[in-house]
Amino acid sequence: MTTVESSLSLSLDRLAQAAARPAENVEALKTIVARVHSRLKVQENGGNGPTCLKNAREKKNLVDMLFYKGKCNKICQDYIATCNQKDQLFILKRNSDVHTRMDTLSCLVSSEKMALDYLVRVIEHCRDPPLVGSVCALLHDALSPSNKGDLRNTVIQTCLSLNAAEVILRTLKALSAEGLAVIDPCIHPAYQVLAKLASKDPKLAVKARLVGGVKLTHQLLQAHMKNCVPLLPLLMVTKYLAKNSTNQVMLGKDGCVATLVSILSSVPKTHWAKIKFIMETLALLTKAKSNVIRLVRETGLQRVLSILDAWEKIERRHQVKVIKGILGTLSHMCDSKHGRKAVVALNGVEITQRFIQSCPADKKFDNNLANATNVFLKCISKGELPVSSSWGAFTFQVPNREGSETSSDRSREATPGVDVDSSDEEAEEEIEDEEEDFELSQDFKGIDLASDYCPQKPRMEELVKLAHLFPELFNFRIASGTRFKEVAVPIRRGALNDVIPESHNERYIRASDCTRSIINFVKVAYPDMVGARGPSHLEELYEKDRRVCRNKAIATVERVLHPEVYMERVVYDLDYLLESEHSRHLITPSSNTSRSLGNWDEKRVGKRDASVTHLNFESRFESGNLRRVIQASNTEYDLILNADVNSSHHHQWFYFEVSNMEPHTPYVFNIINNEKPNSEFNYGMKPVMFSVCEAMKGRGAWVRTGVDICYHKNHYSRIPKSHDNVRFKKSVNKCYYTATFTVTFPHAYDVCYLAYHYPYTYTQLQAYLNKHDSIERASDIFYSNQSLCHTLNGNPVPLLTVTTKENVKEKEVIFLTARVHPGESNASWVMEGILDFLLTDTAASRLLLQNFIFKIVPMLNPEGVIHGNQRCGLTDEDLNRRWRAPSPSLHPTIYGAKSLLEYLRSISKQKVRVFCDLHGHSRQKNVFMYGCSRMQSWWLGDKEFLDHPDFMLLPRLAQSCMATFSLRDCHFQIERTRESTARVAVWRQFEIPMSYTMEASTCGCDQGPYKNYHLSPKQLQESGEGFCVSLSYLISTPEALNSRLRLNSDRLECHMRVVAERSLGDFTQEVAFWSGDLDDDLDTDDDLDLDLYGPV
Ligand SMILES: [Zn+2]
C-alpha cells in the first residue's frame, strides 16, 4: 500500500469513528473532510494547459483517457516525449492528480469503507452549517462530470440509495428554523449537489415537498435573487421540483411566478444558463392554469416574448433550450382563453411567425420549429372543417336496445343528437387497440371484482339451442332447420357442377350480391374483384426526410396566413351524392340492396375526362372511405374522411378510387381530419396504391407508394355542430391532424385506388370461404362453414369448424377470432394465412387437426368492414369493449362467440387451450401479443394466486416460429380499462390461461429478417402460418417443447428483465435509463416537446 493510500485509508477510518457522533466531533470532521476533499479537487482545464494541446481537445481527451485507465503506456510515453518541457510537466502533474482523484473516489465508494454513508450521516446529524457545506462541496466534486466512467455512476447510485438529496433538504429545513441566514454558508454547495441528484431522482419532487423543501427552495430563491453564486443551482433545483403537478400549484401560490419574472428582469442579459432554467421552469409552472393568470398579471409575458423576438442574440449553446422553454410556456398559455388572449395582445402570433420563418434549418431546431408551429396554430382563430357535419355521412337506425344490461346508458350514448352524461372523456383521447387508454368502461365504475363480479350468462335452454354449431359433436351432421339455417350463406352447388371452374372475379361479384349495405354502393372495387395482393418483392420503409416535415410545418402556417392563394374547390362530396339519390336518410335493415354490382374500370383506363380539370374520386364501394375532396391547387387536394356509421369520429381508415390523372404529375394528398396525435406515417409507413392499368399489363398488385410523407397537426379544430353529441364538446380545443403524401401515378388517365392498408372486404372473406366450401376434402377431415348469427343489418357471420374426425370429444379447442376492428385489415390477412394452413391438407396441418378442434370466427365485425369504418360497427360502439357483458341484440357477434365458449364449458365440457383475437396495430412495428398475467393485474384479487405456468407460452413459441414476431413488444398486464376486451374477459370469465390478443403492424418491422421493410399480405399470411406452427408445439413432448424454447432463451431472458423492470415501476426504469448515459447534461427531459410531427 502506498503512503497516499494508507493516509487516505486512515482518514476514512477516522471519518467512520467521528461520524458516529457528528455533533461532538465537528472540528475533527472538518479536518478530515478537508483532507479527503483536497485529493478530490477537480483540476480545471483552464488556460494553463500545455501549448501543444491548446487547440487539440481530442488529444487531451486521449491523454486523459490513458491516465484514467491507470497506465501510462508506450503510446502515451511516446506522445509525451514529443511535447516541450513545460507541457511534459503539465501532463505528468495532471497524470498524478488524476490518479490521486480516482484512487480517492474508489476508496469513497468502496463498500468496505462506507465513506459515503458516513458523509451523508454527517449531513443528517451534525447541526453545523459550515460542516454541512464542506461535506456537500466534497460530494459535489465526487459527482463532477469530469470523473468519467463507472466510478461516478457508483457515486450517484450510492447517493440515491442513501437518499442523500432528501437528507440534505431535511437538514437545510431544520437548520433554517433559526433563520434563513443561518444556512448561508452551505447553500451553494448543498444546492449544487441537489441539482446534480435531482435529475436522477424522479421521486425527489414529491419527497422534497414532504420535508418542506419546496417552500424552502422558493424562499432561498427569493432571498438570493441578486446573489449570483447560488442562484444557478437554486434555479436548477426549482425546475426539477416544478415537474410535479402539486408542486406547480404550490409554487404558484407561494409567488414563484413573480419571483422568476423578477429574477428574469434583474439577471444580466448574458447569463443565459440562468435564463434557460427560468424559461424551463415557467414552462412547467404554466401547466397549472392558475399560473398562466399569474404570469399575465406579473407582466412577465412581454419579457418572455421579447427574448423569442431576438432569439438570435441568445448564446448559441443555450439557444435551443431557451427557445424550447419559451415555446413550452406560450403553448401552455394558449391552452387557456385568458392566456391566449394575452399572447395575441402582445403580438405573440407575429413573433412566433417570425421565429418560424427565420428558424435555422439545423436539425437541432426541428423541435423548436414544431413547437412554434403548434403555438401559432393554437393562437390563430380556428377554422372549422369544411364539411356539413362532423357527424358521419352514414346513419343506421339501431333496433330497440332491450336485452342489454346497460341498455339505459348505451341507448343514450349511441343516439345522434341526444345528450349523454359525458363522463367518458377518455373516449376522445388517443384510441389504440389494446395499448392506449380508451374509455374507462361504464360497466366498471365502482365495481369490486371480488364481490360484484357476476358476468351475464346465457340461460341453459338458450345454450342447448347452439348444439347445431357443434356438428363435430353430433356425427358431423350440419343440422338444418335451425334459426340460423334459413338465412345462412347459400351453398353454391351450381359452381361445383360447372365444367369450367369459377374465376376469382366471378366468385367475388357473386358473393358481393349477397353483401348487404346501408347505402347503395355503385361498384365493386377492381382490386377486391381480382383478389389483389402485395408485390412479390419486399418493400422498404419510407426513409423520413426531416426537411419534408419542416416544409410542411412552414406551409401550414403560410396557408393560414394566405388562404386566398388556394382554390378551395369541392370536387367530391359523398353527402351530396347520397342525398341526390335519396338514400341519405335512414335505411332500415329490411331495405333491399341486392342489385348486382360490377366493375367497368378496364373500359375507363386511358380515357381522359375532358369535362373537368381535376382528379375524379369515388368511395361508394365496399370498405370505401372518403367523404369529401377539396382541390387546393392544380395538383394538391385536401381529403376528408368519413366517420364511423352513427358516429362523429374514428377517422383513420381510407380507401378510394382516383382517376383522370395527368401524366408525370406529382399529386399532393392531404387527409385533413385524422384524430390520433401521431402515426406510423411519421415512422416509415407508406400508403398502398393499386393501378388498374398495371393490372391489365399483368402486374396487378397493391404497392406501397408516396413521397414527402408526413403526419402533423393542422389548423382545423374539432368544434361540434349544434346537433352533435355533447361529449364532443369537451374537445373544443382539440385539433385535427393531416396525413400528407405525394403520389406520381404510373400511367396517365389510369384508374387507381389508394388505401391506408391492403383492403380485405367482407365479400372477399365470403368469396374465399365459398371457394373452400366447394373443395373436396379427405374423408377424415371435417370442415364446416356455418352462420354464427346475423349482424344488425342481416349479414351472416361465418363460423368455421375444422378438425379431423377422430376422438373429437377428447380434443381441446383452439378458438380464434379476428377483425373486431374494421380498420385493421391486416388481421384478416393473418387470418387468411391461418386458414390456408389449416385447410391445406399437409402433415403439419393434419397434426394440428388430429389434436385440436378449431373454432374460428374470422370476421367479428362485418358491418364495420363493409361500411369502411375504422373502429366500430353500426352502433358507434367498440365491440372489443363489450366482451364482458355483450347484448344479444346490439352485439350479436360478440354475444354469439361468448355463447360458444359457454357451451364448451358447461355443456360439451371441452377445454379451450388457446383463445386468440387477431388485430392490427397502427402505432407499433412487428407482430406481437398481449396476454394475461395475474402478477401484472390492476386488481389485487388476481395476485392472490400464482400465474399459470403457460401464460407466456404461446408468445415464446411464436418468437421461434414467426419471422415477424417480437417478444420484446409483448406485454401481459391486465389493465382495468381492458376488462371488457376479448383477451381479458375470456381469460377471467372462462379461466383460459392462454388468452391472447395478437397484433400485426400496419407498417412493418424494426427487427428480425424483415427489419426496415413493410409488411405486405405475403408476410401477414406467413405470420398466420407461423402462428399455426407455434400451436403445433403445444402438442410436442416436453423435451421438444423445451428445446424449442431454448432456441430463443437469450431473447426471452432479455424480455423477462424488461417485464420485471416494468413491474418495479418508474424508479427502476429511470436508473436503468441514466446509468448508460451519464455524461449527457443533467437535463434530459423532453416533456415539453409538443408534438407537431412527432419526436424528431
Ligand atoms: Zn384492434
Side-chain angles (χ1 to χ4, degrees):
M1 191 182 272
T2 67
T3 43
V4 175
E5 279 164 358
S6 66
S7 85
L8 177 65
S9 175
L10 202 62
S11 296
L12 293 182
D13 289 342
R14 286 194 192 133
L15 171 67
Q17 289 163 7
R21 276 187 292 279
E24 294 162 28
N25 297 314
V26 171
E27 292 312 313
L29 282 166
K30 276 182 189 164
T31 318
I32 299 164
V33 169
R35 194 171 298 157
V36 178
H37 194 180
S38 68
R39 296 174 186 284
L40 207 59
K41 281 253 163 56
V42 177
Q43 191 80 43
E44 287 310 321
N45 307 325
N48 299 330
T51 48
C52 69
L53 301 176
K54 244 180 194 164
N55 296 316
R57 204 186 156 84
E58 280 168 28
K59 281 185 192 168
K60 185 173 74 62
N61 285 342
L62 172 79
V63 175
D64 275 357
M65 202 180 73
L66 292 168
F67 290 154
Y68 286 149
K69 284 191 175 161
K71 23 180 204 259
C72 191
N73 63 14
K74 180 84 169 57
I75 306 168
C76 197
Q77 281 159 6
D78 290 352
Y79 178 74
I80 293 171
T82 66
C83 300
N84 64 31
Q85 201 183 4
K86 195 179 152 209
D87 291 349
Q88 282 178 2
L89 280 174
F90 177 89
I91 290 169
L92 291 174
K93 168 84 168 60
R94 186 176 177 83
N95 184 17
S96 108
D97 282 355
V98 169
H99 270 293
T100 312
R101 189 162 85 225
M102 297 325 264
D103 288 346
T104 312
L105 266 182
S106 321
C107 276
L108 276 179
V109 298
S110 82
S111 52
E112 189 195 336
K113 295 284 181 195
M114 290 186 16
L116 287 174
D117 297 52
Y118 292 122
L119 289 172
V120 173
R121 192 182 297 175
V122 170
I123 298 175
E124 193 167 13
H125 296 292
C126 88
R127 284 290 170 262
D128 185 77
L131 178 56
V132 172
S134 45
V135 176
C136 285
L138 187 158
L139 286 178
H140 180 235
D141 273 343
L143 290 166
S144 161
S146 49
N147 300 330
K148 292 186 199 300
D150 291 344
L151 277 177
R152 183 178 178 239
N153 268 355
T154 318
V155 176
I156 292 178
Q157 294 198 38
T158 314
C159 285
L160 287 180
S161 67
L162 294 169
N163 214 0
E166 188 189 336
V167 168
I168 293 172
L169 277 172
R170 209 176 325 117
T171 300
L172 292 179
K173 179 73 188 163
L175 291 172
S176 65
E178 294 162 35
L180 268 191
V182 174
I183 55 173
D184 277 355
C186 57
I187 288 175
H188 187 224
Y191 271 84
Q192 278 180 317
V193 175
L194 284 171
K196 286 264 193 299
L197 295 177
S199 63
K200 315 297 181 197
D201 187 347
K203 301 267 166 68
L204 185 65
V206 177
K207 290 190 279 190
R209 183 170 72 240
L210 297 178
V211 300
V214 176
K215 271 179 192 293
L216 175 70
T217 302
H218 179 236
Q219 284 168 349
L220 291 170
L221 201 57
Q222 284 175 312
H224 294 272
M225 219 183 264
K226 301 221 161 69
N227 182 357
C228 233
V229 179
L231 191 54
L232 187 64
L234 275 168
L235 283 169
M236 227 165 139
V237 173
T238 310
K239 174 191 144 181
Y240 284 103
L241 299 182
K243 287 194 170 189
N244 174 282
S245 58
T246 313
N247 292 1
Q248 286 158 11
V249 175
M250 190 176 188
L251 284 165
K253 275 189 192 154
D254 282 358
C256 189
V257 174
T259 310
L260 292 172
V261 169
S262 158
I263 297 172
L264 191 60
S265 57
S266 64
V267 80
K269 300 247 184 305
T270 51
H271 288 200
W272 287 106
K274 287 174 194 148
I275 295 171
K276 178 185 87 168
F277 287 117
I278 293 171
M279 291 306 168
E280 288 180 333
T281 312
L282 282 176
L284 290 165
L285 291 179
T286 46
K287 282 184 177 177
K289 290 250 164 21
S290 51
N291 291 334
V292 167
I293 296 167
R294 290 190 183 101
L295 184 59
V296 175
R297 202 194 305 137
E298 296 298 335
T299 66
L301 199 54
Q302 284 98 316
R303 177 87 182 100
V304 172
L305 281 167
S306 71
I307 295 174
L308 182 63
D309 203 17
W311 68 268
E312 288 98 335
K313 290 187 186 147
I314 302 170
E315 190 185 331
R316 204 163 272 256
R317 69 191 168 113
H318 294 302
Q319 256 171 357
V320 169
K321 288 202 169 163
V322 172
I323 296 170
K324 177 177 156 190
I326 294 174
L327 292 170
T329 307
L330 292 179
S331 172
H332 295 141
M333 301 292 289
C334 290
D335 285 337
S336 82
K337 221 177 195 175
H338 191 70
R340 191 162 52 237
K341 233 169 110 182
V343 172
V344 173
L346 292 167
N347 292 331
V349 184
E350 292 75 10
I351 293 172
T352 312
Q353 184 203 330
R354 272 203 295 279
F355 170 74
I356 292 169
Q357 278 152 353
S358 63
C359 181
D362 189 337
K363 187 176 178 187
K364 66 183 182 186
F365 285 95
D366 281 0
N367 270 333
N368 283 159
L369 180 71
N371 293 347
T373 312
N374 190 11
V375 168
F376 178 85
L377 292 175
K378 281 185 184 188
C379 282
I380 51 149
S381 61
K382 308 242 172 167
E384 287 186 25
L385 207 60
V387 64
S388 57
S389 160
S390 53
W391 201 262
F394 300 164
T395 45
F396 174 77
Q397 190 164 31
V398 178
N400 281 345
R401 288 171 171 259
E402 88 287 341
S404 164
E405 62 173 23
T406 55
S407 62
S408 59
D409 292 346
R410 295 291 158 219
S411 60
R412 285 187 295 144
E413 189 181 52
T415 310
V418 175
D419 281 12
V420 289
D421 57 351
S422 76
S423 47
D424 58 345
E425 192 178 3
E426 290 86 340
E428 281 301 315
E429 299 293 342
E430 162 73 327
I431 301 164
E432 185 59 68
D433 306 323
E434 284 232 20
E435 124 286 18
E436 298 284 351
D437 270 341
F438 182 41
E439 57 190 287
L440 184 55
S441 170
Q442 292 277 357
D443 313 355
F444 272 85
K445 291 248 162 90
I447 282 192
D448 172 8
L449 285 182
S451 56
D452 299 343
Y453 199 71
C454 51
Q456 189 189 32
K457 272 191 200 175
R459 289 186 307 276
M460 206 46 124
E461 59 267 31
E462 209 181 316
L463 275 184
V464 292
K465 288 189 198 149
L466 298 179
H468 70 284
L469 294 175
F470 296 88
E472 70 277 18
L473 302 176
F474 300 96
N475 290 326
F476 311 104
R477 272 205 311 271
I478 300 176
S480 60
T482 66
R483 67 190 177 96
F484 294 101
K485 187 66 190 173
E486 62 203 63
V487 274
V489 191
I491 298 166
R492 308 194 176 267
R493 292 291 165 207
L496 195 65
N497 301 334
D498 283 351
V499 183
I500 308 157
E502 198 178 25
S503 73
H504 184 280
N505 296 15
E506 289 162 344
R507 201 182 308 119
Y508 190 92
I509 298 269
R510 191 160 52 73
S512 92
D513 286 348
C514 304
T515 300
R516 298 162 66 100
S517 58
I518 62 169
I519 67 147
N520 290 326
F521 291 143
V522 297
K523 68 185 287 192
V524 165
Y526 189 93
D528 298 329
M529 179 180 74
V530 300
R533 288 157 197 244
S536 50
H537 59 275
L538 287 171
E539 290 171 294
E540 281 181 16
L541 294 179
Y542 176 63
E543 201 170 318
K544 187 175 169 183
D545 182 348
R546 46 172 282 277
R547 284 167 308 181
V548 171
C549 290
R550 276 187 64 85
N551 295 340
K552 295 286 178 190
I554 293 169
T556 304
V557 171
E558 286 296 319
R559 193 153 171 193
V560 173
L561 294 173
H562 305 290
E564 68 284 356
V565 210
Y566 296 86
M567 267 188 207
E568 313 289 355
R569 175 164 68 171
V570 176
V571 298
Y572 181 73
D573 189 350
L574 182 62
D575 295 74
Y576 172 78
L577 291 168
L578 294 177
E579 240 161 62
S580 61
E581 59 161 308
H582 307 289
S583 59
R584 172 81 176 86
H585 297 294
L586 305 180
I587 291 173
T588 56
S590 60
S591 77
N592 184 7
T593 57
S594 63
R595 73 198 169 97
S596 203
L597 296 171
N599 184 288
W600 304 269
D601 289 353
E602 289 190 6
K603 295 201 174 70
R604 295 161 57 206
V605 162
K607 297 197 178 99
R608 182 179 175 191
D609 177 1
S611 65
V612 296
T613 55
H614 54 73
L615 293 175
N616 284 326
F617 295 86
E618 183 55 81
S619 66
R620 288 174 294 165
F621 48 80
E622 191 180 344
S623 291
N625 188 320
L626 178 67
R627 185 175 191 176
R628 201 162 211 246
V629 181
I630 299 152
Q631 186 178 19
S633 76
N634 283 334
T635 57
E636 182 162 2
Y637 293 82
D638 286 353
L639 277 52
I640 296 175
L641 304 182
N642 196 9
D644 281 7
V645 175
N646 279 6
S647 164
S648 59
H649 50 177
H650 310 299
H651 310 97
Q652 179 169 322
W653 170 258
F654 59 86
Y655 181 18
F656 56 86
E657 176 214 292
V658 54
S659 59
N660 210 34
M661 57 287 280
E662 298 296 325
H664 315 296
T665 307
Y667 288 98
V668 180
F669 296 94
N670 306 312
I671 297 171
I672 60 174
N673 64 337
N674 294 281
E675 290 153 274
K676 290 188 179 180
N678 209 337
S679 161
E680 279 292 312
F681 280 131
N682 276 338
Y683 305 96
M685 185 169 80
K686 293 178 177 185
V688 295
M689 184 197 63
F690 182 94
S691 152
V692 173
C693 198
E694 282 287 292
M696 289 163 71
K697 292 175 194 288
R699 300 189 293 259
W702 282 107
V703 291
R704 298 278 180 172
T705 192
V707 293
D708 293 0
I709 301 168
C710 178
Y711 189 91
H712 62 84
K713 209 177 244 194
N714 64 38
H715 69 287
Y716 291 111
S717 64
R718 297 166 65 184
I719 295 169
K721 308 279 179 209
S722 57
H723 58 277
D724 284 334
N725 196 319
V726 283
R727 89 171 171 194
F728 200 57
K729 284 185 181 156
K730 291 223 163 190
S731 62
V732 169
N733 274 323
K734 300 224 168 151
C735 53
Y736 283 112
Y737 293 80
T738 297
T740 175
F741 49 87
T742 301
V743 177
T744 306
F745 294 98
H747 306 281
Y749 316 116
D750 192 359
V751 177
C752 288
Y753 292 80
L754 285 167
Y756 179 79
H757 192 77
Y758 313 93
Y760 196 107
T761 61
Y762 170 74
T763 300
Q764 187 167 346
L765 173 69
Q766 292 292 25
Y768 176 87
L769 295 178
N770 288 347
K771 184 182 83 186
H772 279 282
D773 291 349
S774 62
I775 289 174
E776 208 84 49
R777 282 169 209 288
S779 60
D780 60 331
I781 303 272
F782 178 73
Y783 159 86
S784 78
N785 169 15
Q786 293 171 286
S787 166
L788 172 67
C789 60
H790 281 76
T791 64
L792 295 183
N793 194 36
N795 283 302
V797 180
L799 163 69
L800 311 179
T801 307
V802 197
T803 187
T804 54
K805 289 182 179 169
E806 76 259 305
N807 304 325
V808 276
K809 289 187 178 142
E810 285 79 58
K811 285 182 192 174
E812 294 178 330
V813 174
I814 307 267
F815 202 116
L816 306 176
T817 57
R819 208 73 190 278
V820 70
H821 292 144
E824 298 166 3
S825 55
N826 32 5
S828 284
W829 291 104
V830 176
M831 180 54 92
E832 195 174 295
I834 291 175
L835 294 177
D836 282 343
F837 185 95
L838 295 176
L839 300 179
T840 309
D841 196 359
T842 61
S845 68
R846 221 155 237 279
L847 182 71
L848 270 181
L849 300 182
Q850 279 159 358
N851 286 276
F852 296 113
I853 299 168
F854 282 83
K855 286 282 186 195
I856 300 174
V857 185
M859 195 173 275
L860 278 170
N861 187 357
E863 293 301 335
V865 172
I866 292 167
H867 297 101
N869 285 6
Q870 169 63 29
R871 187 87 184 168
C872 306
L874 294 176
T875 61
D876 191 24
E877 288 169 288
D878 181 345
L879 294 176
N880 201 29
R881 292 297 184 282
R882 293 290 172 267
W883 273 82
R884 191 182 157 262
S887 145
S889 59
L890 293 175
H891 324 117
T893 62
I894 309 299
Y895 189 84
K898 266 191 86 173
S899 300
L900 295 184
L901 288 164
E902 190 59 52
Y903 187 97
L904 289 167
R905 171 164 69 181
S906 25
I907 297 190
S908 70
K909 313 225 184 280
Q910 280 167 297
K911 184 178 166 193
V912 177
R913 185 70 190 279
V914 172
F915 173 86
C916 189
D917 188 26
L918 307 185
H919 285 251
H921 205 291
S922 67
R923 293 277 302 276
Q924 259 177 270
K925 299 211 167 57
N926 312 317
V927 176
F928 52 95
M929 290 187 198
Y930 299 130
C932 299
S933 160
R934 292 179 165 277
M935 290 308 122
Q936 298 181 56
S937 171
W938 67 276
W939 185 48
L940 285 177
D942 286 337
K943 300 188 183 180
E944 285 170 18
F945 302 94
L946 286 176
D947 271 319
H948 189 280
D950 285 352
F951 81 98
M952 270 180 74
L953 185 55
L954 194 60
R956 289 171 66 189
L957 289 167
Q959 173 80 5
S960 69
C961 301
M962 290 160 70
T964 51
F965 199 83
S966 166
L967 192 56
R968 174 181 57 115
D969 292 317
C970 298
H971 84 62
F972 300 89
Q973 283 140 314
I974 300 171
E975 306 92 332
R976 192 188 169 101
T977 51
R978 300 287 178 269
E979 283 288 340
S980 285
T981 61
R983 166 181 62 110
V984 180
V986 168
W987 174 84
R988 190 179 292 293
Q989 295 181 18
F990 299 99
E991 294 164 357
I992 298 170
M994 293 171 76
S995 174
Y996 302 102
T997 299
M998 185 159 83
E999 302 271 0
S1001 173
T1002 46
C1003 176
C1005 287
D1006 61 10
Q1007 51 88 52
Y1010 297 125
K1011 184 174 176 177
N1012 294 332
Y1013 288 103
H1014 279 107
L1015 287 175
S1016 81
K1018 183 162 180 284
Q1019 286 83 44
L1020 293 166
Q1021 286 168 300
E1022 242 177 60
S1023 303
E1025 289 161 21
F1027 177 82
C1028 292
V1029 175
S1030 321
L1031 290 176
S1032 65
Y1033 280 94
L1034 296 178
I1035 41 185
S1036 54
T1037 59
E1039 294 74 38
L1041 183 64
N1042 280 334
S1043 83
R1044 189 76 201 175
L1045 291 175
R1046 262 198 301 279
L1047 272 182
N1048 57 8
S1049 61
D1050 288 351
R1051 278 166 139 187
L1052 183 69
E1053 256 171 49
C1054 157
H1055 174 72
M1056 292 303 277
R1057 206 166 55 238
V1058 172
V1059 170
E1061 278 165 10
R1062 269 197 199 133
S1063 55
L1064 281 173
D1066 293 340
F1067 189 70
T1068 321
Q1069 271 185 349
E1070 192 66 20
V1071 171
F1073 163 62
W1074 60 254
S1075 60
D1077 195 19
L1078 263 179
D1079 291 320
D1080 199 11
D1081 185 30
L1082 290 169
D1083 194 8
T1084 50
D1085 62 311
D1086 274 327
D1087 56 352
L1088 300 179
D1089 282 355
L1090 298 155
D1091 207 356
L1092 174 78
Y1093 48 76
V1096 184

